[in-house]
Amino acid sequence: MLPAKDIYEVAIVGAGVCGTALLYTLSNYTNISKIALLEKNQAVALVNSHQNSNSQTLHFGDIETNYTLAKAQKVNRAASLVKNYLLQHDPQQEIYTKYHKMVLAVGKEQTEQVKKRYQEFKQLFPELRLIEREEIEFIEPKVLQGRNTEEEILALYTPEGYTVDFQKLAQSFVDNALENRHKTIELMMGTKVKKIETRADLFYIHMEQKTIAAKTVAVMAGAHSLLLAKSMGYGRDYALLSVAGSFYFAPEMLNGKVYTVQLQKLPFAAIHGDPEVHDRRRTRFGPTAKVLPMLERHNYRTIWEYFQTAGLSLAAFKSFWKILSDPFIFKYILKNFIYDIPFIGKRLFIKEVRRIVPSIKLSELQFAKGYGGIRPQIVDLKSQSLEMGEAKIIGDRILFNVTPSPGASTCLQNARDDTERLISFLGEEYTFNRERFLADLAGEESYQSQSV
Ligand SMILES: Cc1cc2nc3c(=O)[nH]c(=O)nc-3n(C[C@H](O)[C@H](O)[C@H](O)COP(=O)(O)OP(=O)(O)OC[C@H]3O[C@@H](n4cnc5c(N)ncnc54)[C@H](O)[C@@H]3O)c2cc1C
């Protein structure tokens, strides 16, 4: 039997932007006083939340043309928490850079689609404007340079664009959590969680070098969350389609984010170009979408873990077959696979980039080697379909989060939801000051509408 002082109230597995957002929320807005954050790497956010792994965009749903109004409302509310956190905690703009954003519609079909979308979305996003050729040229000259003058073109534009270094955001969450000196907050870095087991109302979390005990657990380990869930008998109806995203670099070309219109059937953001978060002289194009049997990009030890997670069952094979045999998805996946192949990849990908910057030369485009993470897309084995968003598996006093895009944008909303859940697991003497959380991060207006 462990002495009470050795038992954590909450153990968080995984210190990406989601795990650290939860740590921040628990330590600042609850009376939970003993929290452990367990991470297999030596520093926070070295996997998908790393600056090199993702598109660095705070997604609000305004220019993501594959989002419905309902999804945009949800994502907007969530991303606004991150925006407000940044405005309060990063006055020097070391974590984010503000750029404008636009989604470019080319041709009759796309311009009609975008006009319709504007009518539907303008109330939710009052800053959103429809802009025409001349104004697009003024804001983004390269988008018009070399473009066919006959081509019909229109854009949905907003000045409200945030490019975020989610790794630095994660570090900021940890630093702010540690300010609560009256609490015991332990960071256990460089130690992989191997196994979680339950004994007498406690979780025993076995790491490489030691074991700790906790009353409740939040597994925020990206794709690994499903592996750990399955090892405990949860999430049996899920598998993962790991969709890697790569990028290409070009010299300075764009002043802000320029998106293309998204294909409706896909859960990923459309290919876009934008300046790097900390270096506006470098433009990043991407991400591509390549299916890989791995849980973490560039980490080949996770191949076997991927197959353990997928389950290797007949149900999993049937689901993958059903999803990938859709001719539209198959063609998309195949094309994206080619984008990463040396020599021919660049020659194919430049066609996508020229939809944004028509005059770009092949010599200006360079594959971003070592960049790009993996989006763990959830496959529902019961419906044999690809889920569009995140997955949360709720167990007995334990929860597991799997976070494909836009998981970094929704990290604080996710943290809020998980905090509510963990408080309910812990019992009546535990409280979450959600009014203060919302007053600090949601702003007056959202605070009122959410607390009704
Ligand atoms: C190409 C691409 C583009 C994207 N673009 C955007 C974007 O523009 N905007 C956006 O909002 N989102 C974007 N995303 C999604 C976003 O990157 C993720 O949703 C987000 O980073 C998930 O954060 P996380 O903390 O859940 O996971 P991660 O950042 O992956 O963190 C999980 C952590 O768990 C740790 N871990 C795993 N297993 C264990 C274990 N057994 N023991 C201990 N620790 C463990 C890992 O080491 C890691 O540090 C993109 C993703 C990709 C791949």
Side-chain angles (χ1 to χ4, degrees), residues 13-20 38-41 43-50 53-59 166 191-194 207 220-225 228 243-247 257 259 269 272 287-288 296-297 305 372-376 390 401-411 414:
V13 181
V17 76
C18 293
T20 54
L38 319 175
E39 168 56 51
K40 66 180 165 58
N41 291 321
V44 303
L46 295 185
V47 187
N48 279 327
S49 306
H50 191 272
S53 301
N54 58 66
S55 299
Q56 318 171 106
T57 303
L58 191 54
H59 288 289
F166 290 111
T191 179
K192 184 171 179 172
V193 171
K194 296 279 194 190
M207 289 165 278
M220 321 288 283
H224 279 95
S225 296
L228 285 165
V243 184
S246 299
F247 298 98
K257 290 177 179 293
Y259 277 72
H272 57 278
T288 63
E296 281 179 16
R297 191 89 190 265
E305 289 176 331
I374 275 185
R375 288 157 287 199
E390 300 149 31
N401 280 288
V402 186
T403 45
S405 193
S409 304
T410 55
C411 64
N414 203 23

Side-chain angles (χ1 to χ4, degrees), residues 246-248 250 254 272-273 283-286 349 353 356-357 360 365:
S246 299
F247 298 98
Y248 277 84
L254 297 170
H272 57 278
T283 311
R284 196 193 279 209
F285 289 98
F349 188 72
V353 177
I356 301 171
V357 179
I360 189 170
L365 207 58

Side-chain angles (χ1 to χ4, degrees), residues 241 291 318-331 333:
L241 192 67
V291 174
K318 274 179 159 171
S319 301
F320 286 130
W321 176 255
K322 192 170 165 217
I323 293 163
L324 298 174
S325 62
D326 177 322
F328 177 83
I329 294 193
F330 182 74
K331 207 173 137 203
I333 296 283

Side-chain angles (χ1 to χ4, degrees), residues 170-242:
Q171 189 58 55
S172 162
F173 285 144
V174 171
D175 294 344
N176 278 314
L178 292 175
E179 293 282 303
N180 295 282
R181 297 190 202 287
H182 57 290
K183 299 198 173 191
T184 305
I185 296 167
E186 278 198 49
L187 309 183
M188 300 179 196
M189 310 300 287
T191 179
K192 184 171 179 172
V193 171
K194 296 279 194 190
K195 193 177 167 192
I196 305 174
E197 55 177 356
T198 31
R199 250 186 283 145
D201 283 353
L202 282 181
F203 291 97
Y204 287 81
I205 306 169
H206 303 286
M207 289 165 278
E208 272 149 348
Q209 298 89 355
K210 60 173 163 182
T211 295
I212 62 158
K215 291 180 184 171
T216 64
V217 181
V219 183
M220 321 288 283
H224 279 95
S225 296
L226 188 58
L227 181 65
L228 285 165
K230 288 202 167 179
S231 73
M232 298 182 73
Y234 294 112
R236 290 217 171 102
D237 292 333
Y238 292 132
L240 287 181
L241 192 67
S242 291

